Amino acid sequence: MDSVTQACLGAAIGGVVMPRLGRRALLIGAALGTLPDLDVLIDYGDAVADYTRHRGFSHSLIVLTGVATLCAGLAARWSRTRDLASFWHWWWLFTLCLATHPLLDAFTTYGTQLLWPIPLRPVSWHTLFIIDPLYTLPLLIGVIVFAIRPAARRLLAALLGVSCLYIGFSLGAQAFVEQRIAPFLAQRGMSDDPILVQPAPLTTLLWRVTVIHDGAAYEGWVSLLDGDSPPTLAPWPLGDEWQEAAQRTRDGRRLAWFSGPFLRYDIRREAGRERLLATDIRLGVPGTHPFTFSIAERGDDGKWQPMASERSSSGRPERAVMQRLLARITSPRVEPITAPE
């Protein structure tokens, strides 16, 4: 999630867990809530490494629990803080403020390595967009009220609960969309294909459906307000003919581990050489995917050679796609987005 949301979540937890600290609880919680995202300052060597190692060790529940325990021990022993609370009060403050950050991130699509260093694929429940005002607003209101009147702990706790209930709503909405499209997919022999159901930008009323089938990504939009109207899925070629070449590179294999089957491959001429590009199609919308990487270039012998990956422009944004997406969000009953000709 965005930094403002994470800071509000940490501050809200700080105020609820340690109200005796007053406004200082908000500041401590906000700082702890944003701490895991400082890993963006680390240079891992190339673009793919930076992309796939973000939300790694700094978002590990194993690491963060250890850090919280260490911080709680120091706070319980330091002369300026040891009389404010017991070790366990400090432990709950540090643990909840730190651990809720990656757990909230796991509800987005990017992917969070909750159990690093265990080599499991990133966790992604994809029920929240990275910026969701309906989740953030109750937290922000509660933090502001508590900052003005620190005695308002119950209101802060209630508004924190409202945000938690909104996450529950997003899980239910996702399940509703999955259930609704299941017969549609079964009729077309796509039930067993990889599928991704995630919210549209800024809303959980409209959901983007992506199904990988026969070398194409079938994309469509399903609204909770559509009624019985059938969804429309438009195919977008994935460039499977380049997949084998991509998988022979370290970065290609790393992206496949990180993004699963939701990758598109293209050939483009950049810096005077023909390059092989891989795009994570989970993020963005059809025609405007922001994470495209050059992972290999064709040598003089015509063979693909691995290269230090670079972030590549994903091409001209499809204005028509964006306009129709905005229309879909503001008027959920319009026709779903189809691929531009």
Side-chain angles (χ1 to χ4, degrees):
M1 296 291 285
D2 64 283
S3 296
V4 172
T5 298
Q6 293 288 10
C8 287
L9 176 60
I13 291 173
V16 170
V17 174
M18 292 281 278
R20 70 188 67 180
L21 296 179
R23 297 179 181 89
R24 290 176 295 177
L26 301 181
L27 296 176
I28 294 171
L32 292 171
T34 56
L35 184 63
D37 275 343
L38 293 181
D39 69 330
V40 297
L41 302 177
I42 301 174
D43 182 0
Y44 290 101
D46 62 45
V48 168
D50 291 343
Y51 180 63
T52 59
R53 292 184 185 275
H54 176 48
R55 296 193 185 179
F57 78 92
S58 69
H59 286 59
S60 168
L61 296 177
I62 298 172
V63 172
L64 293 177
T65 301
V67 170
T69 303
L70 176 62
C71 291
L74 293 174
R77 290 175 177 270
W78 191 30
S79 60
R80 293 188 178 182
T81 56
R82 65 188 177 193
D83 295 331
L84 295 176
S86 67
F87 167 82
W88 287 110
H89 272 96
W90 286 114
W91 188 85
W92 281 113
L93 174 67
F94 286 111
T95 300
L96 290 176
C97 289
L98 288 172
T100 51
H101 179 120
L103 288 174
L104 181 59
D105 277 347
F107 283 98
T108 66
T109 298
Y110 189 96
T112 308
Q113 298 171 53
L114 292 178
L115 296 179
W116 185 98
I118 300 174
L120 301 175
R121 291 189 60 182
V123 176
S124 177
W125 298 311
H126 40 262
T127 68
L128 294 176
F129 189 65
I130 56 171
I131 301 174
D132 194 320
L134 290 182
Y135 176 81
T136 307
L137 192 58
L139 296 174
L140 181 60
I141 293 173
V143 168
I144 292 173
V145 172
F146 188 91
I148 297 172
R149 186 170 174 268
R153 176 176 178 267
R154 290 186 178 180
L155 176 62
L156 179 60
L159 291 172
L160 177 59
V162 169
S163 287
C164 293
L165 288 175
Y166 181 73
I167 293 179
F169 169 79
S170 73
L171 289 166
Q174 183 191 57
F176 174 82
V177 171
E178 290 174 345
Q179 183 179 26
R180 184 168 173 271
I181 64 174
F184 174 85
L185 298 179
Q187 292 173 1
R188 289 154 180 78
M190 303 168 73
S191 296
D192 296 328
D193 293 323
I195 181 172
L196 176 63
V197 177
Q198 59 181 315
L202 308 178
T203 180
T204 51
L205 294 179
L206 177 65
W207 293 74
R208 173 185 167 204
V209 177
T210 306
V211 184
I212 306 301
H213 180 74
D214 285 346
Y218 285 77
E219 299 263 10
W221 300 87
V222 177
S223 170
L224 300 185
L225 308 177
D226 277 342
D228 296 329
S229 58
T232 298
L233 300 181
W236 297 72
L238 293 177
D240 275 6
E241 62 270 28
W242 308 113
Q243 183 177 12
E244 183 178 350
Q247 292 300 302
R248 288 198 293 266
T249 69
R250 180 192 61 186
D251 286 334
R253 292 189 296 271
R254 178 75 180 178
L255 284 170
W257 169 80
F258 188 76
S259 306
F262 299 95
L263 288 170
R264 186 185 71 225
Y265 302 101
D266 301 285
I267 303 300
R268 188 182 302 162
R269 194 164 189 83
E270 292 185 347
R273 304 297 293 267
E274 197 172 44
R275 290 184 172 179
L276 174 59
L277 276 57
T279 299
D280 188 338
I281 65 170
R282 300 173 305 151
L283 306 176
V285 295
T288 58
H289 299 294
F291 293 103
T292 295
F293 303 93
S294 302
I295 60 175
E297 61 182 14
R298 198 188 296 274
D300 295 334
D301 58 359
K303 297 181 179 180
W304 291 107
Q305 303 295 331
M307 58 175 287
S309 60
E310 299 176 1
R311 180 84 175 269
S312 177
S313 170
S314 59
R316 178 181 60 84
E318 298 290 348
R319 179 176 298 180
V321 172
M322 294 303 296
Q323 289 175 340
R324 296 179 69 181
L325 172 59
L326 291 174
R328 179 69 168 162
I329 293 173
T330 56
S331 180
R333 292 186 178 276
V334 302
E335 286 301 312
I337 294 174
T338 57
E341 297 180 358

